[in-house]
């Protein structure tokens, strides 16, 4: 977890590789569906372009189908999901059904000035259609309103790990590996 620009996508790929599990990014799956012009992509596009969350029913079903695939059988890392309380509940149910348990929730913390700089830079390099100033602002608002409260939920569950997301990509990765290693060993 972490606000837009915290480095979730970048770190998710490296961490998943390190642990030999697939990184399941809801944002990436939506973007691939938009590019391929699928029914799911058509449903998601208007919400994504406005910086809004895709409705829970659509997102939940997509994640449920994805974690049922064979490569996710040994475990998986979710990037960008859950983002709402309804998704937290749905994920609990899905995970019970697969026989897994949620080992850890990693939150990347980054100061707000750095977030803006990173997003503006990404707008130049990646050309994501939702990296315009208004849309970035809306995504940040939604994160604070709907997603940040999940941090307390997972803290109460005792599985929250807060990691300093400032600094070089490799430094942040090392912090995450170390924190997750400690979880594995405890
Ligand atoms: P991301 O790549 O994680 O920043 O996601 C890009 C966009 O995809 C978000 O702004 C949402 O419109 C949509 N999205 C990704 N994950 C979710 C989710 N868990 N719930 C609802 N919408 C999502």
């Amino acid at each position: 977890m972490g606000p837009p620009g915290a480095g979730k996508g970048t770190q998710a790929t490296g961490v998943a590789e390190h642990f030999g599990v697939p990184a399941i990014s809801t944002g990436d799956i939506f973007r691939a569906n938009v590019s391929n012009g699928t029914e799911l992509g058509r449903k998601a596009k208007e919400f994504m372009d406005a910086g809004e969350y895709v409705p829970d029913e659509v997102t939940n079903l997509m994640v449920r189908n994805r974690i049922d695939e064979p490569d996710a059988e040994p475990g998986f890392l979710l990037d960008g999901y859950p983002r709402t309380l309804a998704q937290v509940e749905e994920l609990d149910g899905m995970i019970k059904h697969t026989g897994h348990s949620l080992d850890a929730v990693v939150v990347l913390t980054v100061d707000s000035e750095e977030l803006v700089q990173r997003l503006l830079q990404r707008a130049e390099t990646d050309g994501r259609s939702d990296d315009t100033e208004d849309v970035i602002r809306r995504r940040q608002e939604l994160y604070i309103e709907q997603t940040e409260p999940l941090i307390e939920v997972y803290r109460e569950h005792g599985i929250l790990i807060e990691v300093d997301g400032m600094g070089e990509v490799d430094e942040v990765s090392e912090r995450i590996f170390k924190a997750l290693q400690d979880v594995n060993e405890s």
Side-chain angles (χ1 to χ4, degrees), residues 2-5 8-9 25-31 44-56 59-60 62-63 79-84 87 119 122 128 130-131 135 139 142 147:
K8 295 188 295 295
S25 156
T26 43
D28 282 352
I29 302 176
F30 283 134
R31 278 184 289 278
K45 188 175 181 349
E46 57 174 311
F47 295 101
M48 294 173 79
D49 284 349
E52 300 295 332
Y53 286 168
V54 177
D56 286 332
T59 310
N60 288 334
M62 183 179 85
V63 173
D79 160 23
Y81 182 93
R83 267 174 151 107
T84 65
Q87 292 178 11
L119 287 167
R122 188 170 77 186
R128 261 177 61 163
D130 59 351
D131 277 341
V135 176
R139 284 163 52 218
L142 261 188
T147 306

Side-chain angles (χ1 to χ4, degrees), residues 21-85:
V21 294
I24 301 176
S25 156
T26 43
D28 282 352
I29 302 176
F30 283 134
R31 278 184 289 278
N33 276 275
V34 170
S35 303
N36 294 331
T38 67
E39 179 62 31
L40 176 63
R42 270 193 295 279
K43 280 189 197 150
K45 188 175 181 349
E46 57 174 311
F47 295 101
M48 294 173 79
D49 284 349
E52 300 295 332
Y53 286 168
V54 177
D56 286 332
E57 315 81 72
V58 175
T59 310
N60 288 334
L61 183 62
M62 183 179 85
V63 173
R64 184 179 287 274
N65 290 335
R66 179 63 188 86
I67 67 177
D68 270 344
E69 292 196 14
D71 67 332
E73 219 251 313
F76 47 83
L77 181 148
L78 291 165
D79 160 23
Y81 182 93
R83 267 174 151 107
T84 65
L85 278 171

